[in-house]
Amino acid sequence: MAYYIYCFLALGLAVVNVLYSYRIREERKLFRVAVNKDFYEGRHFIKHMFLLGLGASAITTLLGVVLPKHLMFLWVGASLLPLLSVGLVSLGSWALLGAGIVYYVGTWLKSGSFFTDTHVHGTWEAGFLLLVVIYYGSKLLLTHNVRAEWLSPRIKAGKRGRRVAYYHWREFTILPVVIFLPQGHMQPLFSWWPVLNFQGNHYTLLVLPLVVTAVLNVSKRLPHESITTYQQELRWLLGLAVIMLGITWFFPQAFPYLGSLLLVIELVWGIKRRRLERQAPNWYVETNQGVRVIAVQPETPAAKMNLQPGDIILECNNIPVGSEEELYSALQKNPVYCHLKVETYTGDLKIKESAIYTDSPHEIGLILFH
């Protein structure tokens, strides 16, 4: 089982490269240019893997989390599901809690020796819920400081022949988490591998993968509003997981009920979040009254002007514009400076000004409907 962590990390690196390549390919197909060429998915994957993995392992080591061998097998097998589906949905909590609930129910039903681990001393249920707490806490940190430029735009057909933009954000990481395994369940891979003795019981250490995934879709609300709602939901789930951990410490038999309840609550809040998205009054829709901004490339004149997705450019250099061609034509009236009259996504009127690249109006950094 010690080799599993290396396999998962290698698979994780492959998946993050696939997500990056897919994002770049789709953006170039839709807009002829990548919105953000930065490989932030890979950078965040590695950073969170080391920082959050060290923190998680420190917690599980200090608190001495002991899990049965066959529960570990279920956990590792179930972790493939969120890893391979991260491009679509976030199933990390479902895989983790699902493995624990299946193991508990199997043990309760005594459906065979696979679910029998007689060497485990104490309760594993509380330790497993501690992993759930670590999962939600890590997922919350994954959403910290999410930038609008990391939301990848897409285009779909809307009503009345007008196109509509919407946005995806998806990131994940794999935390190497240290778990104690009672010796006798599995021999250490190496002779030098540490074996601990506690109150006459011998334990070996295993490092297992905790797959943390986060997926967010924005179709009608402002990006920061959708991100804030997502973070509030995760804070509530984290708080509930902590409360359930305390209950399970005293009443281990409550684990399958509390775990199932937590999944139901997460599902209900996810549905509620999507409903809020659908009920928002505005769309990122193509308009004839100006030029709709779909996205802004980082470190460009448009980014320096703080233009945001959903803004409508009404005038450029005091010339009314109603299409991409008219906008770039107006930009050429002043080859070194840009003066924009903008209606924000919420309906406010603002003036935006910035120097631009000489004789390069198309490099202002705007992603528009073609």
Side-chain angles (χ1 to χ4, degrees):
M1 186 177 286
Y3 282 124
Y4 287 179
I5 185 64
Y6 304 113
C7 295
F8 265 84
L9 293 179
L11 182 57
L13 288 172
V15 171
V16 79
N17 273 280
V18 169
L19 290 178
Y20 171 71
S21 299
Y22 177 78
R23 174 174 66 82
I24 296 297
R25 184 175 68 251
E26 287 297 303
E27 289 176 356
R28 285 175 175 166
K29 182 172 69 174
L30 291 169
F31 311 112
R32 301 195 295 266
V33 64
V35 176
N36 190 349
K37 296 180 181 179
D38 181 24
F39 187 26
Y40 58 82
E41 297 97 334
R43 187 173 67 253
H44 297 167
F45 175 88
I46 294 173
K47 180 183 73 173
H48 292 133
M49 178 184 69
F50 281 107
L51 297 181
L52 298 181
L54 285 173
S57 292
I59 293 172
T60 56
T61 302
L62 289 174
L63 297 181
V65 175
V66 181
L67 296 182
K69 176 183 67 174
H70 293 114
L71 174 55
M72 293 187 188
F73 281 127
L74 284 172
W75 170 13
V76 170
S79 295
L80 287 170
L81 180 62
L83 184 58
L84 298 178
S85 63
V86 67
L88 301 173
V89 292
S90 178
L91 296 176
S93 56
W94 288 81
L96 182 62
L97 277 167
I101 293 170
V102 167
Y103 178 82
Y104 187 97
V105 173
T107 303
W108 180 65
L109 295 176
K110 297 181 179 179
S111 57
S113 60
F114 178 82
F115 292 99
T116 304
D117 286 304
T118 57
H119 294 82
V120 176
H121 301 271
T123 173
W124 62 265
E125 293 87 350
F128 198 78
L129 268 179
L130 176 62
L131 294 174
V132 177
V133 170
I134 291 173
Y135 173 86
Y136 284 124
S138 300
K139 188 170 180 176
L140 180 59
L141 291 174
L142 219 62
T143 66
H144 186 61
N145 289 332
V146 175
R147 301 176 186 172
E149 65 194 54
W150 296 341
L151 274 67
S152 181
R154 297 289 185 270
I155 302 294
K156 65 180 179 180
K159 297 180 179 179
R160 301 176 183 175
R162 294 189 296 175
R163 293 170 294 175
V164 177
Y166 61 100
Y167 303 85
H168 286 306
W169 173 75
R170 50 176 71 90
E171 286 193 28
F172 77 101
T173 192
I174 300 176
L175 310 187
V177 180
V178 173
I179 300 295
F180 289 87
L181 177 71
Q183 196 178 23
H185 283 216
M186 186 178 296
Q187 294 299 319
L189 193 61
F190 305 105
S191 58
W192 46 264
W193 197 258
V195 176
L196 306 179
N197 188 348
F198 181 72
Q199 294 183 349
N201 301 311
H202 297 279
Y203 301 92
T204 188
L205 301 180
L206 285 180
V207 182
L208 297 180
L210 180 60
V211 180
V212 182
T213 60
V215 176
L216 181 65
N217 297 314
V218 179
S219 59
K220 299 181 71 175
R221 305 174 74 194
L222 289 170
H224 76 269
E225 292 177 346
S226 297
I227 293 168
T228 299
T229 301
Y230 195 29
Q231 291 172 333
Q232 290 173 345
E233 176 186 324
L234 291 172
R235 290 189 185 97
W236 276 104
L237 289 169
L238 175 61
L240 288 173
V242 170
I243 294 172
M244 292 178 179
L245 167 61
I247 295 174
T248 305
W249 178 263
F250 296 101
F251 305 100
Q253 64 274 17
F255 169 77
Y257 307 105
L258 295 177
S260 300
L261 177 61
L262 193 58
L263 290 178
V264 170
I265 292 173
E266 180 176 357
L267 178 63
V268 170
W269 280 346
I271 294 173
K272 181 181 178 181
R273 172 163 40 88
R274 286 189 288 272
R275 184 178 298 169
L276 284 174
E277 194 74 39
R278 290 195 302 267
Q279 291 175 346
N282 297 326
W283 289 91
Y284 294 91
V285 65
E286 193 174 16
T287 177
N288 296 324
Q289 305 298 319
V291 180
R292 175 80 71 180
V293 176
I294 297 176
V296 177
Q297 293 179 291
E299 300 179 3
T300 61
K304 293 178 181 178
M305 286 188 281
N306 197 30
L307 291 171
Q308 298 295 324
D311 286 350
I312 299 176
I313 301 173
L314 302 174
E315 294 180 4
C316 176
N317 294 333
N318 298 315
I319 301 173
V321 295
S323 67
E324 181 183 23
E325 292 76 15
E326 292 179 359
L327 172 64
Y328 288 120
S329 176
L331 280 171
Q332 292 176 339
K333 299 297 182 180
N334 189 337
V336 295
Y337 198 76
C338 176
H339 175 95
L340 301 178
K341 181 179 180 181
V342 175
E343 180 183 341
T344 68
Y345 192 65
T346 55
D348 298 324
L349 293 178
K350 293 187 176 182
I351 300 298
K352 306 284 186 175
E353 297 178 311
S354 174
I356 62 175
Y357 304 126
T358 304
D359 299 324
S360 300
H362 289 79
E363 296 180 12
I364 191 174
L366 291 172
I367 304 298
L368 310 169
F369 286 104
H370 293 306

